[in-house]
Amino acid sequence: LAVTSHLLSLAVFIPPSGWTDDRFGARNVFRIAMAVFMAGSLVCAASESLSMFVAGRIIQGAGSAMMTPVGRLLLLRSVDKKSLVDAMAWLTVPALIGPVVGPPLGGFITTYATWHWIFLINIPVGVTGIILATRYIPDVRTEMLDPIDLTGLIYSGIAVAGLAFGLSVAGLDVIPTSMTLSLLIMGTIGAVAYRRHAARTAAPALDFSLLAVSTFRANLIGGSMFRLGVGAMPFLLPLLMQLGFGLTPFESGMVTFASAAGSLIMKTVAAKVLRRFGFRPVLVFNALISACFIAACALFRPDTPIAVIIIVLLVGGFFRSLEFTSVNTIAYADIDPEHMSRATTLVSVGQQLSVSAGVALGAFIVDIGQRMSPTQSITAADFAPAFLVIAAISASSALVFRRLPADAAAHLSGRVAPTPGNPEKPVA
């Protein structure tokens, strides 16, 4: 409940983030989002019951939902497109490092302090963020503002919440199967209703007309396929280390931290790699290379030397980070400034759904292996099929990236100069 309530809140509040940013200004929304997240952290720390704790997590999710896409939008509106590759490379650092650093840091805090400090530590960080945002972030807002699509927000909220929440608990055996199916059905109905509504609305909450742009389409479809596979990694690896190898949470976190180190190394070379090879070759071949390193995790056994595991995670983290940087950058290569807020909202929704689906798929496959085991207990061998399946899904994203034009986003990689007045335009 602590995890899924946060996901549910994210799913509901992400769709209106683009409109609120345009309406109230990016700096104001960003500061308010951090304040809301801190308020949720205080509720969590003060919780004396599960219901109060879940309420705090929902408040945190509302702040996170507004903070992430607005933060990305601030960067997109503040950085020249020639510097976008480097900027997006550093923007992906928290998303890649957070799930890896979390386990050892959380284990350290709960071992040497109390669990309350996991949430209280957010307060000084949040206050610092608000001060820095006030000082350094420009008050960017859109002059021409479309009316808010309340009906679309309701439909999209039902769709994203039902699908994201349903997928996140599928296979985890935390709620009845009938309730999980009901959530998925509700989400599907909401998605169909939203699609029909959006076709009749001039400014829908989630603007799927942006899919007419090939680079944006590659991000949303191919990127979601790659992220669905990779999104299961922070879920599967710690469980493999703890349940399969018998490591403590702190020891497990120290091992899986290697992938974060690989991600940081990549940041120094991402722009050079894209400038040398271009977006399409990097996205296609790097997706396959990344998938191979995911599949290699299926070979991990309790007697596998820790040094070998760390090397595989370190190099794999490098290539996965390069793919994330490339796919996140190409999403905005040909999007006009007036459509940028809609694009960031749709990308954020796609990321949320794909990560939820990845966790659900990984959990489902491990659960099947456990049920088929004679002992009915989880072993290291139960994780191997999950790594192979998610690796195959990530590799299949190369088929989508292969359809990109040969010179896709060349003006961002620095291989050619942009052609004035000739970017792809989204459908009106």
Side-chain angles (χ1 to χ4, degrees), residues 85-86 89 266-276 322 413:
V85 173
D86 288 325
M266 189 284 307
K267 302 308 172 188
T268 63
V269 301
K272 296 178 181 178
V273 172
L274 289 169
R275 188 177 300 113
R276 173 66 179 83
L322 176 59
S413 63

Side-chain angles (χ1 to χ4, degrees), residues 257-291:
F257 179 75
S259 63
S263 302
L264 283 175
I265 295 172
M266 189 284 307
K267 302 308 172 188
T268 63
V269 301
K272 296 178 181 178
V273 172
L274 289 169
R275 188 177 300 113
R276 173 66 179 83
F277 298 102
F279 273 91
R280 188 178 73 171
V282 169
L283 286 168
V284 172
F285 291 106
N286 192 62
L288 299 176
I289 295 172
S290 299

Side-chain angles (χ1 to χ4, degrees), residues 29-56:
V29 173
F30 195 68
R31 290 184 298 188
I32 292 172
M34 284 191 284
V36 170
F37 186 83
M38 287 192 295
S41 298
L42 289 174
V43 173
C44 288
S47 296
E48 298 180 353
S49 65
L50 179 61
S51 58
M52 184 177 178
F53 186 76
V54 169

Side-chain angles (χ1 to χ4, degrees), residues 4 18 54-55 58 75-76 112 116 119-120 130 148 197 206 223 254 274 294 319 323 330 363 407 413:
T4 53
V54 169
I58 291 174
L75 182 145
L76 292 169
Y112 297 103
H116 305 80
F119 300 96
L120 292 175
I130 292 175
I148 189 169
H197 164 77
L206 298 176
M254 294 305 295
L274 289 169
I294 295 174
F319 288 107
E323 191 76 3
I330 204 171
D407 61 345
S413 63

Side-chain angles (χ1 to χ4, degrees), residues 193-271:
Y194 175 80
R195 194 73 180 101
R196 296 179 62 181
H197 164 77
R200 305 189 302 266
T201 304
L206 298 176
D207 190 358
F208 287 100
S209 70
L210 296 172
L211 290 173
V213 181
S214 63
T215 47
F216 185 83
R217 184 170 62 248
N219 170 280
L220 200 63
I221 299 176
S224 293
M225 294 168 64
F226 182 79
R227 196 175 289 105
L228 188 148
V230 176
M233 292 286 286
F235 170 78
L236 292 174
L237 277 175
L239 288 182
L240 172 63
M241 298 295 158
Q242 295 171 44
L243 302 181
F245 297 173
L247 301 181
T248 65
F250 184 73
E251 292 170 334
S252 167
M254 294 305 295
V255 172
T256 57
F257 179 75
S259 63
S263 302
L264 283 175
I265 295 172
M266 189 284 307
K267 302 308 172 188
T268 63
V269 301

Side-chain angles (χ1 to χ4, degrees), residues 257-340:
F257 179 75
S259 63
S263 302
L264 283 175
I265 295 172
M266 189 284 307
K267 302 308 172 188
T268 63
V269 301
K272 296 178 181 178
V273 172
L274 289 169
R275 188 177 300 113
R276 173 66 179 83
F277 298 102
F279 273 91
R280 188 178 73 171
V282 169
L283 286 168
V284 172
F285 291 106
N286 192 62
L288 299 176
I289 295 172
S290 299
C292 289
F293 278 95
I294 295 174
C297 297
L299 302 176
F300 292 165
R301 296 291 182 269
D303 58 349
T304 302
I306 293 297
V308 173
I309 296 176
I310 289 176
I311 291 173
V312 170
L313 296 180
L314 178 70
V315 180
F318 174 92
F319 288 107
R320 286 193 297 274
S321 182
L322 176 59
E323 191 76 3
F324 276 129
T325 298
S326 304
V327 77
N328 287 339
T329 303
I330 204 171
Y332 309 103
D334 301 306
I335 299 296
D336 291 330
E338 59 266 26
H339 294 96
M340 203 64 79

